[in-house]
Coordinates of all heavy atoms in Angstrom, one line a residue:
T1244 N 20.9 31.0 17.0 CA 20.9 32.3 16.7 C 19.8 32.9 17.6 O 18.7 32.4 17.7 CB 20.4 32.6 15.2 OG1 21.5 32.0 14.4 CG2 20.4 34.1 15.0
T1245 N 20.1 34.0 18.3 CA 19.2 34.8 19.1 C 18.4 35.8 18.3 O 19.1 36.5 17.5 CB 19.9 35.5 20.3 OG1 20.6 34.5 21.0 CG2 18.9 36.2 21.2
T1246 N 17.1 35.8 18.4 CA 16.3 36.7 17.6 C 15.3 37.5 18.6 O 15.1 37.2 19.7 CB 15.4 36.0 16.6 OG1 14.5 35.1 17.3 CG2 16.2 35.2 15.6
A1247 N 14.8 38.6 18.0 CA 13.8 39.4 18.7 C 12.9 40.0 17.7 O 13.2 40.4 16.6 CB 14.4 40.5 19.5
K1248 N 11.6 40.1 18.0 CA 10.6 40.8 17.1 C 10.4 42.2 17.6 O 10.2 42.4 18.8 CB 9.3 39.9 17.1 CG 8.3 40.5 16.2 CD 7.0 39.7 16.2 CE 6.0 40.4 15.2 NZ 4.7 39.6 15.3
V1249 N 10.3 43.0 16.5 CA 10.1 44.5 16.7 C 8.8 44.8 16.0 O 8.7 44.4 14.8 CB 11.3 45.4 16.2 CG1 11.1 46.8 16.5 CG2 12.6 44.9 16.9
S1250 N 7.9 45.6 16.7 CA 6.7 46.0 16.0 C 6.4 47.5 16.4 O 6.8 47.9 17.5 CB 5.5 45.1 16.5 OG 5.6 43.8 16.2
W1251 N 5.8 48.2 15.5 CA 5.4 49.6 15.7 C 4.2 50.0 15.0 O 3.8 49.3 14.1 CB 6.7 50.6 15.4 CG 7.1 50.3 14.0 CD1 6.7 51.1 12.9 CD2 8.0 49.4 13.4 NE1 7.3 50.6 11.7 CE2 8.1 49.6 12.1 CE3 8.8 48.3 14.0 CZ2 9.0 48.8 11.3 CZ3 9.6 47.6 13.3 CH2 9.6 47.8 11.8
K1252 N 3.7 51.1 15.3 CA 2.5 51.7 14.6 C 3.0 52.3 13.2 O 4.1 52.9 13.2 CB 1.8 52.7 15.3 CG 1.2 52.2 16.6 CD 0.4 53.4 17.3 CE -0.2 52.8 18.6 NZ -0.8 53.9 19.4
T1253 N 2.3 52.0 12.2 CA 2.6 52.6 10.9 C 2.5 54.1 10.8 O 1.7 54.7 11.5 CB 1.7 51.9 9.7 OG1 0.4 52.3 10.1 CG2 1.9 50.5 9.6
V1254 N 3.3 54.7 10.0 CA 3.2 56.1 9.6 C 2.7 56.2 8.2 O 3.3 55.7 7.3 CB 4.6 56.8 9.8 CG1 4.5 58.2 9.4 CG2 5.1 56.7 11.3
S1255 N 1.6 56.9 8.1 CA 1.0 56.9 6.8 C 1.8 57.5 5.7 O 1.6 57.1 4.5 CB -0.4 57.8 6.8 OG 0.0 59.2 7.2
T1256 N 2.8 58.4 5.9 CA 3.6 59.0 4.9 C 4.9 58.2 4.8 O 5.8 58.6 3.9 CB 3.9 60.4 5.2 OG1 4.5 60.5 6.5 CG2 2.6 61.2 5.1
A1257 N 5.1 57.1 5.4 CA 6.4 56.4 5.4 C 6.4 55.6 4.1 O 5.5 54.9 3.8 CB 6.5 55.5 6.6
G1258 N 7.6 55.6 3.5 CA 8.0 54.7 2.4 C 8.7 53.4 3.0 O 8.4 52.3 2.6
T1259 N 9.6 53.7 3.9 CA 10.3 52.6 4.6 C 10.6 53.0 6.0 O 10.2 54.2 6.4 CB 11.7 52.3 3.9 OG1 12.5 53.4 4.0 CG2 11.5 51.8 2.5
Y1260 N 11.2 52.1 6.8 CA 11.5 52.4 8.2 C 13.0 52.1 8.4 O 13.6 51.2 7.7 CB 10.7 51.6 9.1 CG 9.2 52.0 9.0 CD1 8.4 51.2 8.2 CD2 8.7 53.0 9.8 CE1 7.0 51.5 8.1 CE2 7.3 53.3 9.8 CZ 6.5 52.6 8.8 OH 5.2 52.9 8.8
Q1261 N 13.5 52.7 9.5 CA 15.0 52.3 9.8 C 14.8 51.8 11.4 O 14.2 52.5 12.1 CB 15.8 53.6 9.7 CG 17.3 53.3 9.7 CD 18.1 54.5 9.3 OE1 17.8 55.6 9.7 NE2 19.1 54.3 8.5
I1262 N 15.6 50.8 11.7 CA 15.6 50.3 13.0 C 17.1 50.3 13.5 O 18.0 50.0 12.8 CB 15.2 48.8 13.0 CG1 13.8 48.7 12.4 CG2 15.2 48.2 14.5 CD1 13.4 47.2 12.2
Q1263 N 17.2 50.8 14.8 CA 18.5 50.9 15.4 C 18.5 50.0 16.7 O 17.6 50.2 17.5 CB 18.9 52.3 15.7 CG 20.4 52.4 16.1 CD 20.9 53.8 16.2 OE1 20.4 54.5 17.1 NE2 21.8 54.2 15.3
V1264 N 19.5 49.2 16.8 CA 19.6 48.4 18.0 C 20.9 48.7 18.7 O 21.9 48.7 18.1 CB 19.6 46.8 17.6 CG1 19.7 46.0 18.9 CG2 18.4 46.5 16.8
V1265 N 20.9 48.9 20.0 CA 22.1 49.3 20.9 C 22.0 48.4 22.1 O 21.0 47.9 22.5 CB 22.1 50.7 21.2 CG1 22.2 51.6 20.0 CG2 21.0 51.2 22.1
T1266 N 23.2 48.2 22.7 CA 23.3 47.5 23.9 C 22.7 48.4 25.1 O 22.4 49.6 24.8 CB 24.7 47.2 24.3 OG1 25.4 48.5 24.6 CG2 25.4 46.3 23.3
K1267 N 22.4 47.8 26.2 CA 21.8 48.6 27.3 C 22.8 49.8 27.6 O 22.3 50.9 28.0 CB 21.6 47.8 28.5 CG 20.8 48.5 29.6 CD 20.5 47.6 30.8 CE 19.8 48.6 31.9 NZ 19.7 47.9 33.1
A1268 N 24.1 49.6 27.4 CA 25.0 50.7 27.7 C 25.1 51.8 26.6 O 25.7 52.7 26.7 CB 26.3 50.1 28.0
G1269 N 24.4 51.5 25.4 CA 24.3 52.4 24.3 C 25.2 52.1 23.2 O 25.4 53.0 22.2
K1270 N 26.0 51.0 23.3 CA 27.0 50.7 22.1 C 26.1 50.2 21.0 O 25.3 49.2 21.1 CB 27.9 49.7 22.6 CG 28.9 49.3 21.5 CD 29.9 48.2 22.0 CE 30.8 47.7 20.8 NZ 31.6 46.6 21.3
K1271 N 26.4 50.7 19.7 CA 25.6 50.4 18.6 C 25.8 48.9 18.2 O 27.0 48.5 18.1 CB 25.9 51.3 17.4 CG 25.1 51.0 16.2 CD 25.5 52.1 15.1 CE 25.3 51.5 13.7 NZ 25.7 52.3 12.6
V1272 N 24.7 48.2 18.0 CA 24.9 46.8 17.6 C 24.6 46.8 16.0 O 25.4 46.2 15.3 CB 23.8 46.0 18.3 CG1 23.8 44.5 17.7 CG2 24.1 45.9 19.8
E1273 N 23.5 47.4 15.5 CA 23.1 47.4 14.2 C 22.2 48.5 13.8 O 21.3 48.8 14.7 CB 22.5 46.0 13.8 CG 22.3 45.8 12.3 CD 23.6 45.4 11.6 OE1 24.5 44.7 12.1 OE2 23.7 45.9 10.4
T1274 N 22.2 49.0 12.5 CA 21.1 49.8 12.0 C 20.6 49.2 10.7 O 21.4 48.8 9.9 CB 21.6 51.2 11.7 OG1 22.1 51.8 13.0 CG2 20.5 52.1 11.2
I1275 N 19.3 48.9 10.8 CA 18.7 48.2 9.5 C 17.9 49.2 8.8 O 17.0 49.8 9.4 CB 17.9 46.9 10.1 CG1 18.8 46.0 10.9 CG2 17.2 46.3 8.9 CD1 18.3 45.8 12.3
S1276 N 18.2 49.3 7.5 CA 17.4 50.2 6.7 C 16.5 49.5 5.7 O 16.6 48.3 5.6 CB 18.4 51.1 5.9 OG 19.2 51.8 6.8
D1277 N 15.6 50.2 5.0 CA 14.8 49.7 3.9 C 13.7 48.7 4.5 O 13.5 47.7 3.7 CB 15.6 49.2 2.8 CG 16.4 50.3 2.2 OD1 16.0 51.4 2.1 OD2 17.6 50.0 1.8
V1278 N 13.3 48.8 5.7 CA 12.3 47.9 6.2 C 10.9 48.4 5.8 O 10.6 49.6 5.9 CB 12.4 47.9 7.8 CG1 11.3 47.1 8.3 CG2 13.8 47.4 8.3
T1279 N 10.2 47.6 5.2 CA 8.9 48.0 4.6 C 7.7 47.6 5.4 O 6.6 48.0 5.0 CB 8.8 47.4 3.1 OG1 8.9 46.0 3.2 CG2 9.8 48.0 2.2
D1280 N 7.9 46.8 6.4 CA 6.7 46.2 7.2 C 6.7 46.8 8.6 O 7.8 47.3 9.0 CB 6.7 44.7 7.3 CG 5.4 44.1 7.7 OD1 4.4 44.9 7.9 OD2 5.4 42.8 7.9
K1281 N 5.7 46.8 9.4 CA 5.6 47.3 10.7 C 6.1 46.3 11.7 O 6.1 46.6 12.9 CB 4.3 47.9 11.1 CG 3.2 46.9 11.1 CD 1.9 47.5 11.5 CE 0.9 46.5 11.6 NZ 0.1 46.5 12.8
N1282 N 6.5 45.1 11.3 CA 7.0 44.0 12.1 C 8.3 43.6 11.5 O 8.4 43.5 10.3 CB 6.0 42.8 12.1 CG 4.7 43.2 12.6 OD1 4.5 43.5 13.8 ND2 3.6 43.2 11.8
Y1283 N 9.2 43.4 12.3 CA 10.5 42.9 11.8 C 11.2 41.9 12.8 O 11.2 42.2 14.1 CB 11.5 44.1 11.6 CG 12.7 43.8 10.9 CD1 12.8 43.8 9.5 CD2 13.9 43.6 11.6 CE1 13.9 43.5 8.7 CE2 15.0 43.3 10.8 CZ 15.0 43.3 9.4 OH 16.2 43.0 8.8
I1284 N 11.8 41.0 12.4 CA 12.4 40.0 13.2 C 14.0 40.4 13.2 O 14.6 40.3 12.1 CB 12.3 38.5 12.7 CG1 10.8 38.1 12.7 CG2 13.1 37.6 13.7 CD1 10.2 38.1 14.1
L1285 N 14.5 40.6 14.3 CA 16.0 41.0 14.4 C 16.7 39.7 14.5 O 16.5 38.9 15.4 CB 16.3 41.8 15.6 CG 15.6 43.2 15.7 CD1 15.8 43.7 17.1 CD2 16.2 44.1 14.7
K1286 N 17.6 39.3 13.5 CA 18.3 38.2 13.5 C 19.6 38.3 12.7 O 19.7 39.3 12.0 CB 17.5 37.0 12.8 CG 17.0 37.3 11.4 CD 16.2 36.1 10.8 CE 15.7 36.6 9.5 NZ 14.7 35.7 8.9
K1287 N 20.6 37.5 13.0 CA 21.9 37.5 12.4 C 22.6 38.9 12.6 O 23.3 39.4 11.7 CB 21.8 37.2 11.0 CG 21.4 35.7 10.7 CD 21.4 35.4 9.2 CE 20.9 34.0 9.1 NZ 20.8 33.6 7.7
I1288 N 22.3 39.6 13.8 CA 22.9 40.9 14.0 C 23.8 40.8 15.2 O 24.3 41.8 15.7 CB 21.9 42.0 14.1 CG1 21.0 41.8 15.3 CG2 21.2 42.2 12.9 CD1 20.2 43.0 15.6
G1289 N 24.0 39.6 15.8 CA 24.9 39.4 16.9 C 24.3 39.6 18.3 O 25.0 39.8 19.3
L1290 N 22.9 39.4 18.4 CA 22.4 39.5 19.7 C 22.8 38.3 20.5 O 22.9 37.2 20.0 CB 20.7 39.4 19.5 CG 20.1 40.6 18.9 CD1 18.7 40.4 18.8 CD2 20.4 42.0 19.5
K1291 N 23.0 38.5 21.7 CA 23.5 37.4 22.6 C 22.4 37.1 23.5 O 21.5 37.9 23.9 CB 24.7 37.9 23.4 CG 25.9 38.2 22.5 CD 27.0 38.5 23.4 CE 28.4 38.8 22.6 NZ 28.5 38.8 21.3
A1292 N 22.4 35.8 24.0 CA 21.3 35.3 24.9 C 21.4 36.0 26.3 O 22.5 36.3 26.7 CB 21.4 33.8 25.1
D1293 N 20.3 36.2 26.9 CA 20.2 36.7 28.3 C 20.9 38.0 28.4 O 21.5 38.3 29.4 CB 20.7 35.6 29.2 CG 20.2 35.9 30.7 OD1 19.1 36.4 30.9 OD2 21.0 35.5 31.6
K1294 N 20.7 38.8 27.5 CA 21.3 40.2 27.5 C 20.2 41.3 27.3 O 19.2 41.0 26.6 CB 22.4 40.5 26.4 CG 23.5 39.5 26.7 CD 24.4 40.0 27.8 CE 25.6 39.1 28.0 NZ 26.3 39.2 29.2
R1295 N 20.4 42.5 27.8 CA 19.5 43.6 27.5 C 20.0 44.5 26.4 O 21.1 44.8 26.3 CB 19.4 44.4 28.8 CG 18.7 43.7 30.0 CD 18.5 44.7 31.2 NE 17.9 44.0 32.3 CZ 16.6 43.8 32.4 NH1 15.7 44.1 31.6 NH2 16.2 43.1 33.6
Y1296 N 19.0 44.9 25.6 CA 19.2 45.8 24.5 C 18.2 46.8 24.5 O 17.1 46.7 25.1 CB 19.2 44.9 23.2 CG 20.2 43.9 23.0 CD1 20.1 42.6 23.4 CD2 21.4 44.2 22.5 CE1 21.0 41.7 23.3 CE2 22.5 43.3 22.2 CZ 22.3 42.0 22.7 OH 23.2 41.1 22.6
K1297 N 18.4 47.8 23.6 CA 17.4 48.9 23.4 C 17.3 49.0 21.8 O 18.1 48.9 21.1 CB 17.8 50.2 23.9 CG 18.1 50.2 25.5 CD 18.3 51.6 26.0 CE 19.8 52.0 25.7 NZ 20.0 53.3 26.4
V1298 N 16.0 49.3 21.5 CA 15.7 49.5 20.1 C 14.9 50.7 19.8 O 14.1 51.1 20.7 CB 14.9 48.2 19.6 CG1 13.6 48.0 20.1 CG2 14.9 48.3 18.0
R1299 N 15.0 51.3 18.6 CA 14.2 52.5 18.2 C 14.0 52.4 16.8 O 14.8 51.8 16.0 CB 14.8 53.8 18.7 CG 16.2 54.2 18.1 CD 16.7 55.4 18.6 NE 18.0 55.8 17.9 CZ 18.6 56.9 18.1 NH1 18.1 57.9 18.9 NH2 19.8 57.2 17.5
V1300 N 13.0 53.2 16.3 CA 12.6 53.1 14.9 C 12.3 54.5 14.4 O 11.9 55.4 15.2 CB 11.2 52.2 14.8 CG1 10.7 52.3 13.4 CG2 11.5 50.9 15.3
R1301 N 12.5 54.8 13.1 CA 12.1 56.0 12.5 C 11.6 55.8 11.1 O 12.0 54.7 10.5 CB 13.2 57.1 12.5 CG 14.3 56.8 11.6 CD 15.3 58.0 11.7 NE 16.5 57.7 10.9 CZ 17.5 58.6 10.9 NH1 17.5 59.6 11.5 NH2 18.6 58.2 10.3
A1302 N 10.7 56.5 10.7 CA 10.0 56.4 9.3 C 11.0 57.3 8.4 O 11.6 58.3 8.7 CB 8.7 57.0 9.3
I1303 N 11.0 56.8 7.1 CA 11.6 57.5 6.1 C 10.5 57.7 5.1 O 9.9 56.8 4.5 CB 12.7 56.7 5.5 CG1 13.8 56.5 6.6 CG2 13.4 57.6 4.3 CD1 15.0 55.6 6.1
G1304 N 10.2 59.0 4.9 CA 9.0 59.3 4.0 C 9.1 59.0 2.5 O 10.3 58.8 2.1
T1305 N 8.1 58.9 1.8 CA 8.1 58.6 0.4 C 8.9 59.7 -0.2 O 9.4 59.5 -1.4 CB 6.8 58.4 -0.2 OG1 6.0 59.6 0.2 CG2 6.0 57.2 0.4
N1306 N 9.0 60.8 0.4 CA 9.7 62.1 -0.2 C 11.2 62.0 0.2 O 11.9 62.9 -0.2 CB 9.0 63.4 0.3 CG 9.1 63.4 1.9 OD1 9.7 62.5 2.6 ND2 8.5 64.5 2.3
G1307 N 11.6 61.0 0.9 CA 13.0 60.8 1.2 C 13.5 61.5 2.5 O 14.6 61.3 2.9
L1308 N 12.5 62.1 3.2 CA 12.9 62.8 4.4 C 12.8 61.8 5.5 O 11.9 61.0 5.7 CB 12.0 64.1 4.7 CG 12.1 65.1 3.6 CD1 11.0 66.3 4.1 CD2 13.5 65.7 3.6
Y1309 N 13.8 61.9 6.5 CA 13.9 61.1 7.6 C 13.0 61.7 8.8 O 13.2 62.9 9.0 CB 15.3 61.0 8.1 CG 16.1 60.1 7.3 CD1 16.5 60.5 6.0 CD2 16.6 58.8 7.7 CE1 17.2 59.7 5.1 CE2 17.4 58.0 6.8 CZ 17.7 58.4 5.6 OH 18.5 57.7 4.8
G1310 N 12.2 60.8 9.4 CA 11.4 61.2 10.6 C 12.4 61.2 11.8 O 13.6 60.7 11.8
V1311 N 11.8 61.7 13.0 CA 12.6 61.6 14.1 C 12.6 60.2 14.8 O 11.7 59.4 14.5 CB 12.1 62.5 15.2 CG1 12.2 64.0 14.8 CG2 10.7 62.3 15.6
W1312 N 13.7 59.8 15.4 CA 13.7 58.5 16.1 C 12.6 58.4 17.1 O 12.4 59.3 17.9 CB 15.1 58.2 16.7 CG 16.2 58.0 15.8 CD1 17.2 58.8 15.4 CD2 16.4 56.8 15.0 NE1 18.1 58.1 14.5 CE2 17.6 56.9 14.2 CE3 15.8 55.5 14.9 CZ2 18.1 55.9 13.4 CZ3 16.3 54.5 14.1 CH2 17.4 54.7 13.4
S1313 N 12.1 57.2 17.3 CA 11.2 57.0 18.4 C 12.0 57.0 19.7 O 13.3 56.9 19.7 CB 10.5 55.6 18.3 OG 11.4 54.6 18.3
K1314 N 11.4 57.0 20.8 CA 12.2 56.7 22.2 C 12.6 55.2 22.1 O 12.0 54.3 21.5 CB 11.2 56.9 23.3 CG 10.8 58.3 23.5 CD 10.0 58.5 24.7 CE 9.6 60.0 24.9 NZ 8.8 60.2 26.0
Y1315 N 13.8 55.0 22.8 CA 14.3 53.6 22.9 C 13.3 52.7 23.8 O 12.7 53.3 24.8 CB 15.6 53.6 23.6 CG 16.7 53.9 22.7 CD1 17.5 55.1 22.8 CD2 17.2 52.9 21.8 CE1 18.6 55.3 22.0 CE2 18.2 53.2 20.9 CZ 19.0 54.3 21.1 OH 20.1 54.6 20.3
T1316 N 13.1 51.5 23.3 CA 12.3 50.6 24.1 C 13.3 49.5 24.5 O 14.1 49.0 23.6 CB 11.2 49.9 23.3 OG1 10.3 51.0 23.0 CG2 10.5 48.8 24.0
E1317 N 13.4 49.1 25.8 CA 14.4 48.1 26.2 C 13.8 46.7 26.1 O 12.6 46.6 26.3 CB 14.8 48.4 27.6 CG 15.9 47.5 28.0 CD 16.4 47.9 29.5 OE1 16.7 49.1 29.6 OE2 16.5 47.0 30.3
F1318 N 14.5 45.7 25.7 CA 14.1 44.3 25.7 C 15.3 43.4 26.2 O 16.4 43.9 26.2 CB 13.6 43.9 24.4 CG 14.7 43.8 23.3 CD1 15.3 42.6 23.0 CD2 15.0 44.9 22.5 CE1 16.3 42.5 21.9 CE2 15.9 44.9 21.5 CZ 16.6 43.7 21.2
R1319 N 14.9 42.2 26.6 CA 15.9 41.3 27.1 C 15.7 40.1 26.2 O 14.7 39.5 26.1 CB 15.7 41.0 28.5 CG 16.8 40.1 29.1 CD 16.6 39.8 30.5 NE 17.8 39.1 31.1 CZ 18.5 39.6 32.1 NH1 18.2 40.7 32.7 NH2 19.5 38.9 32.5
T1320 N 16.8 39.5 25.8 CA 16.8 38.2 25.1 C 16.7 37.1 26.1 O 17.1 37.3 27.2 CB 18.1 38.0 24.2 OG1 19.2 38.1 25.0 CG2 18.1 39.1 23.0
T1321 N 16.1 36.0 25.6 CA 16.0 34.8 26.6 C 17.3 34.2 26.7 O 18.2 34.2 25.8 CB 15.0 33.9 26.1 OG1 15.3 33.5 24.8 CG2 13.6 34.5 26.0
A1322 N 17.4 33.4 27.8 CA 18.6 32.6 28.1 C 18.7 31.5 27.1 O 17.7 30.9 26.6 CB 18.6 32.1 29.5
A1323 N 19.9 31.1 26.8 CA 20.1 30.0 25.9 C 19.7 28.6 26.5 O 19.8 28.5 27.7 CB 21.6 29.9 25.5
T1324 N 19.1 27.8 25.7 CA 18.7 26.5 26.4 C 19.6 25.4 25.8 O 20.1 25.4 24.7 CB 17.2 26.2 25.9 OG1 17.2 26.3 24.6 CG2 16.3 27.3 26.5
T1325 N 19.8 24.4 26.6 CA 20.5 23.2 26.3 C 19.6 22.0 26.3 O 18.7 21.9 27.2 CB 21.7 23.0 27.2 OG1 21.3 22.9 28.5 CG2 22.8 24.1 27.0
E1326 N 19.8 21.1 25.4 CA 18.9 19.9 25.4 C 19.7 18.6 25.7 O 20.9 18.6 25.4 CB 18.2 19.8 24.0 CG 17.3 21.0 23.8 CD 16.5 20.8 22.5 OE1 16.4 19.6 21.9 OE2 16.2 21.8 22.0

């Protein structure tokens, strides 16, 4: 399974966060809701080895209002290894 760690600065009024992962071309891979920590491991969402993706995060306030999405940050998964 290919994984990636996402981290961001906390928002003081946030109750939870939402993470969106897309391919480099912009095709949606997954949107993860109800994230309560500022660190999250992306796993079991179909990431492929040695590929480029983009991720963004937004806060959802304790009042239920959605914040604006962050800018996308690009990352690359590592190549699969064989033993």
Side-chain angles (χ1 to χ4, degrees):
T1244 302
T1245 301
T1246 64
K1248 182 180 179 181
V1249 181
S1250 301
W1251 57 91
K1252 292 181 182 178
T1253 57
V1254 175
S1255 61
T1256 57
T1259 61
Y1260 297 91
Q1261 194 171 46
I1262 303 167
Q1263 187 173 67
V1264 182
V1265 298
T1266 64
K1267 186 177 178 189
K1270 182 181 175 190
K1271 183 176 153 187
V1272 174
E1273 189 75 38
T1274 300
I1275 301 123
S1276 299
D1277 299 322
V1278 177
T1279 56
D1280 195 4
K1281 65 178 183 131
N1282 300 294
Y1283 191 84
I1284 304 291
L1285 300 170
K1286 58 185 174 186
K1287 296 184 181 177
I1288 63 168
L1290 296 178
K1291 295 184 180 2
D1293 198 29
K1294 296 289 181 190
R1295 293 189 185 273
Y1296 294 92
K1297 297 186 290 187
V1298 63
R1299 64 182 180 173
V1300 178
R1301 69 176 170 184
I1303 302 172
T1305 53
N1306 58 4
L1308 296 178
Y1309 286 70
V1311 297
W1312 285 107
S1313 67
K1314 292 182 180 178
Y1315 277 111
T1316 299
E1317 189 174 307
F1318 68 95
R1319 184 181 192 120
T1320 56
T1321 56
T1324 57
T1325 56
E1326 296 182 25

